[in-house]
Amino acid sequence: MQSLFQNKRTIAALVIPPIGIMLFAIVAPLLVSIYFSFTKWSGFGAIKFVGIQNYIALLGSDQTFWRSLFNVGALIIITVFIQNPIAFLLAAALTKLPEKSSRIFRTIYFIPATLSLVVVTKLWVNIFNPTYGMLNKLLHFIGFQDISIAWLSNPKTALGSVIWIMIWQGFGWALLFYYAGLVTVPAELEEAARVDGANRMQTFIYIIIPYLFPVIQSVIIIDVISSFKQMEMVYLSTEGGPGNFTQFIAVYLYQKAFKYSEYGYGNAISVIFVLLAVAATIALQKMFNRLTDGEA
C-alpha cells in the first residue's frame, strides 16, 4: 500500500481529476463572471465594456443592494443569537428524555427540514394570507382582529414573516447537529466535574459547551453561508417586496440578470456576493481560532 501511494502516476491519477473538476465547476465560472461584471450586456446582442462602472453603481448608489445586505445581516443575527441557542438548549433537554420520547420529538422538529422549500414556502404563504390565512383567522377567533394584517405585503411585518419561514424550515438542522454532538460528550467529563463540586449549570457552561465548540463553530459558519444564499423562499413568497423590504442578495442577483436583462450588473453582484461570503467565512474562522487559542 505504501509503495502504491509513492507511485507518481497513482498520485496524479488521484489528484488531477478533482482539481480539474474544481477548475471547471468553480474557477472557470467565477472568471467568466468577473469578465462579464465589467460589461454592459443584456444576455444577447453586443457586449459593451464599461470597466468598473457596475461596481461604482452597485456600491455607491444602489440602495436595493444595501437593503439586501441589511436583510442578510438581520438573518445572520437571528439565526446565530436566537435560533442556535434555542436549538442547543432544546437538544440538551432532549438528551435527558427517554430514548423513545426523544426520538419522537426529534422527528417532529426535523420534519420541516425534510420538506421541499417550495412546499414549506407555499404552506406559510397560505397561513399568512390576509383573506383566508390560518393566522388571521386565529387572531380573529381569540379577539385580536386589530392586528390581523397582510403579513407578507406589509412593510412592517414582511421581513420578519419571511425570516420566520426560513427559521421554521432550518431549525431542525441546528437541533440535529447539536443533539448529535451532545450525545458524544463523555460521561466521565460530567462525572469529574461533579466530583470537583461543579453544579449542572457550571458543568454545562465550562465543560459541555467548550467540548462542543467545533460543532457550534460548524453550525454558525453554515448558518452564515446559508443566510447569504437565501433565494427560493424569498422569491416564492414576496420576490423581494414590498418595495424591496425583503430583498436578499441572491434574489436581487437573479432579478437583475434574468428578469431585467442586466446581465453585466448581475455578474457584478455575483462577484461581490462571492467575496462577501468568502470574507465572512475567513473572518469567522480567524475569530474561532482566536477563541480556541485563548481558551487553550
Side-chain angles (χ1 to χ4, degrees):
M1 181 65 70
Q2 186 175 0
S3 61
L4 177 64
F5 286 102
Q6 290 177 344
N7 188 305
K8 293 183 178 180
R9 292 183 178 180
T10 302
I11 295 174
L14 294 173
V15 172
I16 291 176
I19 292 178
I21 293 173
M22 185 181 69
L23 291 173
F24 177 78
I26 299 176
V27 178
L30 182 58
L31 292 175
V32 172
S33 185
I34 292 173
Y35 166 75
F36 282 115
S37 70
F38 295 112
T39 68
K40 184 177 182 180
W41 188 41
S42 62
F44 54 88
I47 300 176
K48 181 181 179 181
F49 187 80
V50 295
I52 62 172
Q53 291 302 313
N54 287 330
Y55 292 99
I56 293 174
L58 180 64
L59 300 175
S61 58
D62 193 336
Q63 296 302 317
T64 303
F65 172 75
W66 290 109
R67 178 70 197 191
S68 68
L69 271 185
F70 172 83
N71 292 343
V72 169
L75 179 59
I76 291 173
I77 290 172
I78 291 172
T79 53
V80 172
F81 295 105
I82 298 178
Q83 173 189 276
N84 280 354
I86 294 174
F88 192 95
L89 293 174
L90 185 56
L94 291 178
T95 61
K96 304 302 181 183
L97 295 178
E99 176 59 26
K100 185 176 181 180
S101 300
S102 176
R103 188 184 301 115
I104 293 173
F105 282 111
R106 293 200 313 268
T107 302
I108 292 172
Y109 285 120
F110 194 68
I111 285 175
T114 65
L115 300 176
S116 164
L117 295 178
V118 176
V119 172
V120 170
T121 307
K122 290 301 182 183
L123 169 67
W124 280 100
V125 166
N126 288 333
I127 291 174
F128 287 134
N129 187 281
T131 304
Y132 57 81
M134 186 185 300
L135 179 57
N136 280 352
K137 287 187 178 296
L138 177 62
L139 291 173
H140 277 274
F141 179 76
I142 61 178
F144 289 97
Q145 58 270 11
D146 293 338
I147 62 174
S148 60
I149 56 176
W151 298 91
L152 290 172
S153 58
N154 188 314
K156 295 182 179 180
T157 59
L159 180 61
S161 300
V162 172
I163 290 178
W164 167 259
I165 299 173
M166 298 173 186
I167 296 296
W168 187 83
Q169 197 272 338
F171 183 82
W173 284 110
L175 178 68
L176 180 65
F177 277 114
Y178 288 134
Y179 181 86
L182 285 164
V183 296
T184 65
V185 177
E188 294 81 4
L189 287 178
E190 298 186 50
E191 293 173 2
R194 293 193 191 98
V195 171
D196 290 338
N199 56 36
R200 288 186 177 182
M201 182 61 67
Q202 291 171 328
T203 301
F204 190 77
I205 294 174
Y206 296 109
I207 302 297
I208 295 177
I209 291 181
Y211 184 85
L212 293 178
F213 192 76
V215 177
I216 297 172
Q217 174 182 345
S218 300
V219 173
I220 290 176
I221 291 176
I222 291 172
D223 284 341
V224 170
I225 296 174
S226 176
S227 297
F228 276 101
K229 296 193 305 177
Q230 290 295 334
M231 194 272 178
E232 295 90 344
M233 288 186 177
V234 180
Y235 191 80
L236 292 171
S237 57
T238 63
E239 293 191 41
N244 292 315
F245 275 95
T246 62
Q247 192 65 269
F248 279 73
I249 297 179
V251 180
Y252 189 45
L253 186 162
Y254 172 83
Q255 290 175 336
K256 279 293 187 180
F258 301 106
K259 186 176 181 180
Y260 302 115
S261 298
E262 297 181 29
Y263 196 74
Y265 197 86
N267 276 278
I269 298 174
S270 70
V271 172
I272 298 297
F273 174 93
V274 172
L275 291 176
L276 288 173
V278 172
T281 303
I282 294 174
L284 284 171
Q285 289 284 10
K286 288 185 176 181
M287 182 188 72
F288 287 129
N289 289 338
R290 288 178 182 176
L291 290 174
T292 304
D293 295 339
E295 290 179 357

